[in-house]
Amino acid sequence: MAARNLLRLGLVGGSGAAAVYNKDEVQTAAIGAVRFGRAAITTHLRAANQLLDLCCANGGAFVKVGQHLGSLEYLLPVEYVDTMKVLHSNAPESPLEDIFQVIEEELKYSVKDLFVEFDPHPLGAASLAQVHRARLADGREVAVKVQHRAVKSHSKVDMKGMELLVNVVSKIFPDFNFSWLVEEMKKNLPKELDFTHEAKNAEKVADQFSHFPWLKIPSIEWSLTTDRVLVMEFCEGGQVNDRNYMVENSINTKEVSEKIGQLYSEMIFVNGYVHCDPHPGNVLVKKVDKEAQIILLDHGLYTTLTDDFRTTYSKFWLSILNANLKEIQRYGEILGVGELYGLFACMVTARSWDSISKGIDKKERTSGEQDEIKADAAKYLPEISAVLNRVPRQMLLIFKTNDLLRGIEFSLDTQDSMKSFITMSRYCVKSVFSHQRLLCNSVACSIRANLGEFWEQFKISIYTIYLWYLRSSINKYIQENWLISKDGIKLKFL
């Protein structure tokens, strides 16, 4: 396949599901045949409703896949996106008796002894658990997250089925090697199934971002938290993709998009500790003191980036933002994708190679470009598979996070905001020069790094002013009333 054809594609990859090893082979045989049969048959069906039925019937890891599909508004047909969106907060529910059974098994008290009020109707049901509103004896309102009773055993079975399916597909179609997906599923779900791990993540992130007054992380009630039950502060708000909610509550959608961009840019490029499940059901928005508050929920899935990867990825993004094709190739090769660096850049940005070459901050995203991406995606699956197998494992969850964040941008119609590129540029620069300072062994070296960072941030500020000027009434007035000579020096009032 010609390289120029490959580079036409802009596609976001991702890893959307997780599961764990099975230790009970008898249970696997009993349950797995039915569950794997559903998956195998459904792979031949195209209807979105049938996909939704599959996810709801199997639950667990299958729902997580469906949630991911429901976020790809820029990539999938609208019928699939609208159908699968229901899984973001309305996945299949467990009956109340099962919920009470899990709570009482874990906390060793009856629900009536633990809570003075317990809403029998869940606030939302997700792939691994569902959340109920309750009230403690001291009057505090809490959210009670309870794991679905059989989710661990079902997830183990799902893993066996998915692993078998991937192996069969790899044998029949050698170009399609998705072993990376199985590896990620085995690694990630045990963490998500341990709610004490999630609680620790929540406190760690709350501490890391205490300098963002607009970010809310629910506090944890540790005395009522176990592996399968998590009790936390109740926080109310609308889903981050609910544009109507924001309009009704006078919340600025651009402000919301900018804050989320700032939060995740700092996570990815500076802290290297990234929340990898920002689907709309996990990110709420509320108006507090005339500004938008972002509420980040579900801290079960994080990835930790190494300093080397984080710095190289920052440089790769800067080369994209600067439309520096040689640097894109250089850092793409360092990240392991070799000659597929152009496709990798398209996957990272969800833009075509033509847009990347001209500058994604200069060439507006058009419906034609998005149609081209959707039409071409299926043609390059072997190459996409090759990229996903070559990149560092850390990159796989970054792909998923990028998918979900772009889905939010499309819902809010803020995907063309220049503010997101400027924010990303600032954090990439901060990451690169922070790494330089770590390598310094003299005061002079540190000073040079500080000056270098100051200069790069200053240039970004100048560019920001320039963009403001282009959109300002001053520029419009000058364009309408002044004439600039060819040499760019003489001005003449018309």
Side-chain angles (χ1 to χ4, degrees):
M1 184 178 299
R4 63 177 177 274
N5 289 332
L6 276 176
L7 299 180
R8 291 175 60 224
L9 178 64
L11 179 69
V12 172
S15 57
V20 293
Y21 289 111
N22 176 36
K23 296 179 181 177
D24 188 342
E25 296 299 332
V26 175
Q27 188 180 42
T28 299
I31 304 174
V34 176
R35 296 169 66 76
F36 178 69
R38 293 185 189 129
I41 293 171
T42 306
T43 55
H44 300 287
L45 302 176
R46 299 179 182 275
N49 283 326
Q50 289 170 312
L51 275 175
L52 179 62
D53 290 343
L54 169 70
C55 293
C56 291
N58 281 358
F62 286 82
V63 173
K64 296 189 75 64
V65 173
Q67 289 173 337
H68 188 48
L69 294 176
S71 299
L72 304 183
E73 298 190 50
Y74 56 90
L75 186 59
L76 296 179
V78 65
E79 294 83 5
Y80 282 85
V81 173
D82 288 347
T83 301
M84 306 307 285
K85 271 183 179 179
V86 67
L87 296 175
H88 285 148
S89 57
N90 293 291
E93 297 177 8
S94 290
L96 192 62
E97 54 266 28
D98 285 358
I99 294 298
F100 283 2
Q101 181 180 338
V102 172
I103 292 174
E104 291 170 3
E105 285 176 359
E106 291 294 302
L107 299 177
K108 311 304 180 186
Y109 288 95
S110 70
V111 173
K112 291 182 179 179
D113 290 337
L114 293 168
F115 307 102
V116 295
E117 294 177 16
F118 192 96
D119 190 341
H121 305 290
L123 294 167
S127 54
L128 305 182
Q130 65 191 50
V131 180
H132 290 260
R133 191 171 184 171
R135 188 180 298 276
L136 299 175
D138 61 10
R140 286 180 295 150
E141 277 196 303
V142 292
V144 184
K145 182 175 180 178
V146 185
Q147 200 170 103
H148 299 307
R149 186 168 59 86
V151 72
K152 286 188 177 181
S153 58
H154 282 189
S155 295
K156 294 173 184 178
V157 173
D158 289 345
M159 183 67 250
K160 284 292 186 182
M162 290 181 184
E163 188 168 18
L164 176 59
L165 182 61
V166 166
N167 289 336
V168 170
V169 171
S170 298
K171 294 288 186 185
I172 300 173
F173 305 105
D175 285 336
F176 298 87
N177 184 352
F178 291 100
S179 59
W180 57 269
L181 178 59
V182 176
E183 293 170 12
E184 290 303 303
M185 289 192 298
K186 287 178 179 178
K187 182 178 69 176
N188 291 323
L189 197 60
K191 299 175 184 177
E192 293 189 84
L193 289 171
D194 180 356
F195 288 174
T196 61
H197 176 78
E198 176 178 344
K200 291 174 184 176
N201 284 342
E203 291 193 337
K204 180 176 180 178
V205 172
D207 182 61
Q208 284 184 344
F209 292 98
S210 58
H211 57 287
F212 287 162
W214 43 262
L215 178 65
K216 177 69 175 177
I217 308 291
S219 59
I220 305 299
E221 186 64 32
W222 277 104
S223 63
L224 299 175
T225 294
T226 70
D227 286 358
R228 296 198 296 162
V229 176
L230 173 59
V231 178
M232 70 199 99
E233 175 187 5
F234 175 77
C235 296
E236 201 163 17
Q239 285 193 179
V240 72
N241 65 338
D242 190 344
R243 186 180 175 86
N244 291 334
Y245 169 85
M246 295 185 203
V247 171
E248 291 169 3
N249 289 274
S250 302
I251 298 173
N252 188 315
T253 56
K254 287 186 177 180
E255 179 191 353
V256 171
S257 186
E258 288 168 9
K259 286 179 174 178
I260 291 174
Q262 187 178 358
L263 173 63
Y264 275 87
S265 288
E266 183 161 329
M267 280 185 179
I268 294 170
F269 299 114
V270 178
N271 293 350
Y273 191 67
V274 187
H275 179 274
C276 292
D277 205 11
H279 72 68
N282 288 341
V283 186
L284 304 182
V285 181
K286 182 180 180 181
K287 191 167 187 179
V288 177
D289 296 331
K290 299 184 179 180
E291 73 168 338
Q293 181 185 70
I294 307 298
I295 304 165
L296 193 61
L297 307 175
D298 198 337
H299 299 270
L301 184 58
Y302 277 76
T303 188
T304 301
L305 310 179
T306 65
D307 288 343
D308 286 343
F309 171 84
R310 181 174 51 79
T311 304
T312 303
Y313 187 56
S314 297
K315 291 176 179 177
F316 183 72
W317 255 110
L318 283 174
S319 65
I320 291 174
L321 294 169
N322 292 325
N324 188 327
L325 305 189
K326 288 184 178 180
E327 293 290 281
I328 291 174
Q329 179 177 0
R330 177 188 174 192
Y331 292 113
E333 290 176 348
I334 292 174
L335 289 168
V337 298
E339 75 283 359
L340 297 176
Y341 66 89
L343 177 59
F344 179 52
C346 293
M347 292 169 67
V348 165
T349 60
R351 300 295 300 273
S352 68
W353 182 252
D354 180 61
S355 295
I356 292 170
S357 302
K358 293 177 180 177
I360 57 176
D361 62 331
K362 299 177 179 65
K363 192 175 188 300
E364 291 187 4
R365 192 194 312 259
T366 64
S367 58
E369 181 182 359
Q370 294 308 302
D371 291 341
E372 177 186 341
I373 289 171
K374 292 179 182 181
D376 286 350
K379 299 178 185 177
Y380 303 102
L381 285 178
E383 289 75 21
I384 293 168
S385 176
V387 169
L388 295 174
N389 276 287
R390 292 181 188 183
V391 294
R393 300 299 88 182
Q394 303 162 75
M395 190 67 222
L396 297 175
L397 285 177
I398 297 297
F399 272 136
K400 178 190 176 184
T401 303
N402 285 348
D403 287 351
L404 294 167
L405 292 175
R406 290 196 184 96
I408 291 171
E409 286 183 340
F410 271 80
S411 297
L412 300 181
D413 195 25
T414 59
Q415 67 270 21
D416 292 322
S417 172
M418 281 302 305
K419 184 70 174 177
S420 63
F421 292 126
I422 291 169
T423 298
M424 191 179 297
S425 297
R426 289 196 182 279
Y427 280 101
C428 286
V429 167
K430 184 176 181 179
S431 172
V432 170
F433 283 97
S434 293
H435 185 69
Q436 279 191 20
R437 280 190 288 270
L438 285 175
L439 299 178
C440 284
N441 54 13
S442 69
V443 175
C445 176
S446 297
I447 291 174
R448 284 194 298 271
N450 289 337
L451 290 175
E453 180 177 2
F454 173 81
W455 176 244
E456 292 299 325
Q457 295 287 7
F458 177 74
K459 288 194 294 184
I460 294 173
S461 297
I462 295 298
Y463 185 58
T464 304
I465 295 171
Y466 170 69
L467 291 175
W468 169 83
Y469 165 74
L470 289 180
R471 292 166 173 76
S472 70
S473 56
I474 299 173
N475 180 51
K476 184 178 179 180
Y477 176 80
I478 291 176
Q479 293 292 326
E480 292 174 351
N481 296 283
W482 291 74
L483 177 66
I484 302 177
S485 65
K486 291 182 181 180
D487 58 14
I489 298 175
K490 293 176 63 178
L491 291 175
K492 178 182 177 183
F493 188 71
L494 295 177

